[in-house]
Amino acid sequence: MISTTTSSLLTDLRCSQCGLAHNAFVRQTLSTCCQAPLLAMYNLDNNGPQQADLATRAKSLWRYEELLPVIQPGNQITLGEGFTPILRLKRLADLFGFGHLSLKDEGLNPTGSFKARGLCMAISKAKENGEQACIIPTAGNAGVAMAAYCARAGLEAVVVMPRHTPDAFKEECIGYNANLIQLDGLINDCAAKVHELNRDGRYFDVSTLKEPYRLEGKKTMGYEIAEQLNWDLPDVIMYPTGGGTGLIGIWKAFHEMKALGWLSKEQRLPRMVAVQAENCAPVVDTYLGKQPNSKQYVGKPTLANGLAVPRPIGEPLMLNVLRESGGTAIAVSEEDMLEGVSDLCRYEGIFAAPEGGAIWAATKKLMHQGWLQPNEHIVLLNTGSGQKYLDNVKGKWHR
């Protein structure tokens, strides 16, 4: 049950590039100083919740409400998101020689993906700030989530989506009464259309990292991983990376937990792995030094729609996470992605999105390369349900 008293410890927003403080209590997009993503900051000194406080709280992401940006609990727009299970993958571990292999199944969130976390937070904050209408460019799942939470909040929703997106995503947006706009291209083309439609600022633009609050919803995956594993973090987290909000958010959560004393100063943080599709791997190419940055990268569509983000604004933040954690970036083929989906279905009964299939394919690849060791605890993030991707995988299963 959500409380009825103000509890958020939010203080301000900081530019991720230069650190300049911005007002957290008015509409904000990118920082005014550097046009970079803004990061929410909290008063964690002797004021934070204690681990023991969590025992009686509802099993949703709102159990961490002091560390989230919504000031008045009445503005928490929720469909029961968060606290998804971490499942042991014992059969796959035994088959492929892993000692401790787990998967956090984000496909069990409302609207069928981890996007529910970020969009519930962005729309809650939009409501709190008095917004009336929201707009988003999307590869699929984020648009569905925004449409659902806007419907819940009574806000107008405009979703701009690539025409090749599977019909399941489109129909769901229409069902939530969103204004669905389709166009040829990838999410960067959709972002250009959003900019055109929103020249007068009528809509609150909830594009990835162009507002500060989707990141705060996504970071709760980090809090949950720590809590569900009894505060003993895994060695490696495998993360499917498009816009990268979750990768950045999980890392932010780990540092907040250290500041709160929930993790010991000696606790070693996981190595973070960014997994992309070979058809659209801008962060991998930058990480490997094939390009200075992804600002001119040209990607192609992929079965994992959520990975088709050719020019992510959060690339500098993602690269920082990979370097600070001692992680890496890796791309997988469409064929390997499908085989990954098939393995998870056949051996573990999990119908993962192609993004989840990509994660498992990358895990096998890094094990073969010797980057992963058999005795390490590895957590895979499956970001969505495979059911929405039936148009993409139909007739392509590995037998």
Side-chain angles (χ1 to χ4, degrees), residues 9 42-50 259-261:
L9 299 173
Y42 300 86
N43 181 7
L44 304 179
D45 297 334
N46 303 317
N47 290 305
Q50 303 299 308
L260 286 164

Side-chain angles (χ1 to χ4, degrees), residues 136-140 159-166 181-195 207-208 210 241-243 276-282 294 296-312 334 355 392:
I136 192 170
T138 180
V159 176
V160 185
M161 184 181 291
R163 202 178 309 279
H164 65 258
T165 306
I181 298 171
Q182 301 178 57
L183 50 78
D184 296 323
L186 297 178
I187 194 170
N188 55 304
D189 302 294
C190 297
K193 183 66 173 177
V194 164
H195 181 73
S207 301
T208 301
K210 289 187 179 179
T241 305
Q276 300 198 297
E278 288 180 357
N279 281 7
C280 193
S294 64
Q296 303 301 319
Y297 186 90
V298 178
K300 296 186 293 186
T302 166
L303 295 171
N305 297 82
L307 300 185
V309 183
R311 299 168 193 171
E334 302 293 285
E355 291 86 345
N392 287 0

Side-chain angles (χ1 to χ4, degrees), residues 90-208:
K90 189 171 187 314
R91 293 192 69 202
L92 285 177
D94 291 345
L95 280 167
F96 291 91
F98 291 92
H100 194 169
L101 192 65
S102 305
L103 179 144
K104 188 163 176 61
D105 194 358
E106 290 291 291
L108 300 178
N109 272 303
T111 74
S113 84
F114 70 155
K115 299 292 186 181
R117 293 180 185 269
L119 271 305
C120 84
M121 204 60 55
I123 301 308
S124 293
K125 200 63 183 172
K127 180 176 184 287
E128 186 158 81
N129 286 343
E131 302 288 350
Q132 299 298 313
C134 297
I135 192 168
I136 192 170
T138 180
N141 273 315
V144 169
M146 191 199 79
Y149 285 99
C150 279
R152 186 81 165 164
L155 304 182
E156 181 185 347
V158 178
V159 176
V160 185
M161 184 181 291
R163 202 178 309 279
H164 65 258
T165 306
D167 286 344
F169 296 98
K170 300 173 187 176
E171 294 299 324
E172 198 167 354
C173 288
I174 293 168
Y176 293 130
N177 200 37
N179 177 11
L180 176 65
I181 298 171
Q182 301 178 57
L183 50 78
D184 296 323
L186 297 178
I187 194 170
N188 55 304
D189 302 294
C190 297
K193 183 66 173 177
V194 164
H195 181 73
E196 175 190 326
L197 293 170
N198 198 32
R199 288 189 187 279
D200 62 359
R202 176 192 168 199
Y203 300 103
F204 182 54
D205 183 354
V206 292
S207 301
T208 301

Side-chain angles (χ1 to χ4, degrees), residues 6 20 62 85 90 114 132 143 148 157 230 282-283 292 303 322 373 399:
T6 301
L20 182 71
W62 296 101
K90 189 171 187 314
F114 70 155
Q132 299 298 313
N230 295 313
V283 175
L303 295 171
L322 299 183
Q373 301 302 313
R399 298 289 182 186

Side-chain angles (χ1 to χ4, degrees), residues 82-93:
F83 226 74
T84 55
I86 295 178
L87 307 171
R88 287 292 295 269
L89 303 181
K90 189 171 187 314
R91 293 192 69 202
L92 285 177

